[in-house]
Amino acid sequence: MTLTEAFLAARGRRALPTALSTAAMRARFRADVLRRSVISARTASLPYLSIMADVIGDLLSTQVQSGRSIGSAEAHLYLKQALEILHYDPEQGHFGLPADANIPHAKKGSLQDLSSDARLDLIIKTQKLLWQSAAQNTKAKEPERLAYWPAWELIRSHAREPRQDWESRWRTAGGELYDGRMIAAVGSLIWTRLGDSGRWEDALGTDTPPFAFGSTRGWIAVGRRECIRLGVPFPGSPATGPQPKPIPEPTPAPPSNIVPLTHDIPAAKATLPETANPEVAQRVAITLQLSPIELGMPLNEALEKIRRKRSAREAGNPS
Amino acid sequence: MLFLELTLDTRNVQETLNAVMEAAGDDQSKVNRRVAQSIEVATQRYLAEERGTQHETATRLGADPTHFYAGLARFVSASSNGDGAELTMPRQGLSRAFFTYLLEPRHGSKLLTIPVKKESYGRRARTFQGLRWSKFTDEDVAEGRSDTAGLVLGKPAGRANKKKGVRAGMFIALYRGAKRATIKQDRQILPSDQEWLGAADAGVAEYIDELLS
């Protein structure tokens, strides 16, 4: 899945208005329903969720239809303005919909207030990280890439106050530290466990970063040679034997039957300001002179070995 | 959007590389693919680990860093063909590594809003409510009518704060207005040519290593 495909998948999710809290949603809906839905705890407005789907989609896209891209600040602004247009008031019955009667009133500025900076930032940051990571993960599982970049490293957080328990979560999930680094094979169960909402209350129920609400953790690919040097097991490593196999990808989100935004509230779309700057494409050419190649053995011997492997491969015997 | 066209100069190693590729039945595009992936990951790691920024503005304002460059890491992607590799960075800001550029307001805005307080750093002016433009002289500042001179966007302080030297009603600027801003070139926001070369070498080594392992 490329970022563009992630954007399309994000766009393709069905809006699922609900008065339920996060915990109640988990109890009520299956994980795959939640994954395929645009959903936000205690948000019963379909128009708002439709706008959210649009905005998150635009945020992930490198270039939206109008030829512009938007950043987190614009996404924040668009959502805030949409809430204003929809007369959202956390202290006076939210959107004023019948379903809102089941949602407790929220203090302005609190995380339960959909229009608070904290809530909007949390949604934007989490959605952006989730979809970008999912795109990275799909790309990483392509067999040709997996052979050379077989592992992920969970990298440090940029949070203002990073949570301190990642290392213990990592170990609980079955992870090992290599030179102090949290590294595991692409597709390893460790990633699934790390985001398992059955284990940790704040987990997002995903196998990709940021794994938990409020987390800003990401991951970076680790090369095959480095994995071997550090002793990280991965399919096809000298320690584990078999060649890497493609890891099946979960079925992508189905095409949406979401009501197009413009049919819902034309006024909202028309009022949203155009603030993003058009991208200016610039090209830079760099020439890299490669350093001498280290074969670790005489050239003739290396060539012979490569030819033997090639013959075996062509004869259908990769070993 | 920044496109980095990477050409591999293989004169040093052409003889060995040709022999290896011929023995493996590969062509240059396979080597270039490894190099492209290696440079992509090296660039992502450089950005994610914030090796090229000291967060000077955030530090000066006492604000939390926005981690702008770290956030761009995921957008870096590489492609390759038989001639070389291309690293694509489809976000504004990274071209600063190679160019000084002039930032001007667009889409009808007349002024850029440049944060002058930690509260406004990393936030769009539009996300604040009730801000207004005002112009103050140095004399206004000296007499306590505003905390910042020039054309500024902000709002009057609700109550006095002796500790911060704020009087009730004093204008508190959150942004400075500017018709344009020069974004100076800063090569360090992206890996150096030497680091990219190291990644290219590692890509070639990965290619050879897999053939020999």
Side-chain angles (χ1 to χ4, degrees):
Chain A
M1 193 195 293
T2 62
L3 265 181
T4 306
E5 286 161 348
F7 146 71
L8 290 172
R11 281 260 186 158
R13 289 177 297 165
R14 180 202 294 256
L16 184 57
T18 178
L20 300 174
S21 66
T22 303
M25 283 191 305
R26 281 179 181 156
R28 179 75 66 86
F29 301 116
R30 293 198 320 269
D32 64 322
V33 173
L34 296 178
R35 258 199 306 277
R36 293 174 188 194
S37 306
V38 178
I39 195 166
S40 182
R42 299 197 188 285
T43 307
S45 166
L46 179 63
Y48 179 59
L49 289 172
S50 299
I51 291 174
M52 193 190 286
D54 264 12
V55 170
I56 299 297
D58 285 355
L59 183 65
L60 290 166
S61 173
T62 53
Q63 196 172 54
V64 298
Q65 275 181 344
S66 59
R68 299 178 294 111
S69 63
I70 69 167
S72 298
E74 282 91 3
H76 184 118
L77 180 65
Y78 291 173
L79 292 179
K80 200 154 195 154
Q81 290 184 337
L83 287 165
E84 274 174 31
I85 290 163
L86 293 166
H87 304 295
Y88 172 77
D89 186 337
E91 294 176 334
Q92 301 291 328
H94 302 278
F95 296 95
L97 301 168
D100 283 330
N102 301 321
I103 303 176
H105 291 187
K107 193 179 164 198
K108 271 191 180 161
S110 69
L111 206 55
Q112 287 71 39
D113 169 6
L114 304 185
S115 62
S116 70
D117 290 340
R119 175 71 172 248
L120 290 170
D121 284 345
L122 180 69
I123 287 173
I124 291 166
K125 208 175 278 178
T126 306
Q127 288 291 324
K128 196 164 112 179
L129 289 173
L130 269 176
W131 284 96
Q132 287 173 342
S133 303
Q136 287 180 311
N137 207 27
T138 306
K139 190 172 169 187
K141 288 174 181 174
E142 290 165 6
E144 201 265 345
R145 192 171 176 106
L146 192 58
Y148 289 87
W149 302 95
W152 288 120
E153 176 181 357
L154 188 67
I155 54 167
R156 71 189 170 101
S157 168
H158 297 299
R160 194 177 303 166
E161 290 170 18
R163 65 186 78 197
Q164 301 299 315
D165 64 342
W166 277 112
E167 203 173 301
S168 74
R169 285 189 188 208
W170 181 256
R171 290 187 188 282
T172 307
E176 297 274 341
L177 294 180
Y178 302 92
D179 260 359
R181 297 159 63 186
M182 291 183 262
I183 302 174
V186 171
S188 162
L189 268 179
I190 294 165
W191 303 115
T192 311
R193 291 184 197 129
L194 213 54
D196 181 0
S197 51
R199 281 169 202 263
W200 291 285
E201 207 172 273
D202 61 354
L204 290 163
T206 63
D207 60 353
T208 58
F211 298 111
F213 280 110
S215 167
T216 56
R217 289 262 169 180
W219 56 13
I220 293 276
V222 183
R224 183 176 166 277
R225 282 155 61 96
E226 194 171 5
C227 285
I228 293 169
R229 181 180 70 76
L230 293 167
V232 179
F234 60 91
S237 67
T240 49
Q243 288 300 305
K245 290 177 185 165
I247 297 165
E249 183 61 17
T251 314
S256 167
N257 55 3
I258 194 170
V259 184
L261 171 65
T262 45
H263 293 182
D264 283 330
I265 42 166
K269 193 75 172 178
T271 317
L272 298 180
E274 294 201 352
T275 54
N277 291 339
E279 305 285 344
V280 180
Q282 288 175 302
R283 290 191 168 270
V284 176
I286 291 180
T287 301
L288 303 172
Q289 186 172 49
L290 291 181
S291 308
I293 292 173
E294 301 280 341
L295 291 170
M297 61 183 80
L299 179 62
N300 282 344
E301 200 179 310
L303 294 178
E304 190 50 40
K305 193 171 177 182
I306 292 167
R307 283 191 200 104
R308 274 203 309 274
K309 275 190 79 171
R310 180 186 173 188
S311 302
R313 193 176 62 240
E314 286 171 354
N317 178 14
S319 60
Chain B
M1 172 113 63
L2 180 63
F3 295 101
L4 210 62
E5 291 165 14
L6 298 158
T7 308
L8 298 186
D9 177 350
T10 55
R11 279 173 298 178
N12 262 357
V13 295
Q14 198 62 60
E15 207 175 317
T16 310
L17 201 54
N18 278 347
V20 168
M21 288 190 301
E22 193 188 337
D26 293 334
D27 60 21
Q28 186 72 39
S29 65
K30 194 152 185 188
V31 180
N32 291 354
R33 196 149 59 235
R34 297 288 153 252
V35 169
Q37 288 172 357
S38 186
I39 287 176
E40 175 189 291
V41 173
T43 308
Q44 288 174 341
R45 187 174 283 277
Y46 185 91
L47 287 167
E49 292 178 352
E50 300 190 315
R51 281 190 240 157
T53 176
Q54 304 294 319
H55 308 297
E56 291 93 346
T57 309
T59 308
R60 179 165 49 80
L61 295 175
D64 292 315
T66 57
H67 304 290
F68 172 73
Y69 293 114
L72 298 180
R74 292 180 181 82
F75 288 97
V76 176
S77 70
S79 58
S80 62
N81 55 33
D83 299 326
E86 184 166 273
L87 202 59
T88 307
M89 294 171 259
R91 276 294 182 268
Q92 280 189 312
L94 290 176
S95 56
R96 175 181 194 193
F98 300 99
F99 309 100
T100 290
Y101 61 91
L102 203 61
L103 195 62
E104 290 181 314
R106 295 170 205 245
H107 300 295
S109 302
K110 288 182 181 164
L111 292 169
L112 297 171
T113 46
I114 300 169
V116 294
K117 292 278 160 45
K118 73 174 184 180
E119 293 85 349
S120 51
Y121 182 73
R123 278 185 71 176
R124 290 279 166 132
R126 286 171 204 242
T127 62
F128 287 97
Q129 297 206 330
L131 299 189
R132 61 178 169 84
W133 287 103
S134 287
K135 201 169 184 177
F136 295 100
T137 61
D138 289 338
E139 197 182 354
D140 291 323
V141 175
E143 291 176 9
R145 283 189 285 275
S146 169
D147 68 347
T148 310
L151 182 59
V152 292
L153 183 63
K155 58 181 171 184
R159 59 174 78 161
N161 184 336
K162 272 191 181 172
K163 219 173 177 180
K164 291 183 179 175
V166 175
R167 297 182 193 174
M170 180 181 187
F171 195 87
I172 306 295
L174 290 176
Y175 298 90
R176 185 167 56 79
K179 286 185 178 168
R180 60 191 67 85
T182 304
I183 308 297
K184 284 188 186 161
Q185 186 194 343
D186 180 359
R187 182 63 187 84
Q188 289 188 5
I189 62 169
L190 283 173
S192 65
D193 289 7
Q194 198 57 38
E195 283 167 287
W196 272 325
L197 171 61
D201 284 340
V204 175
E206 285 278 4
Y207 169 72
I208 303 273
D209 202 48
E210 212 220 341
L211 293 174
L212 293 175
S213 63

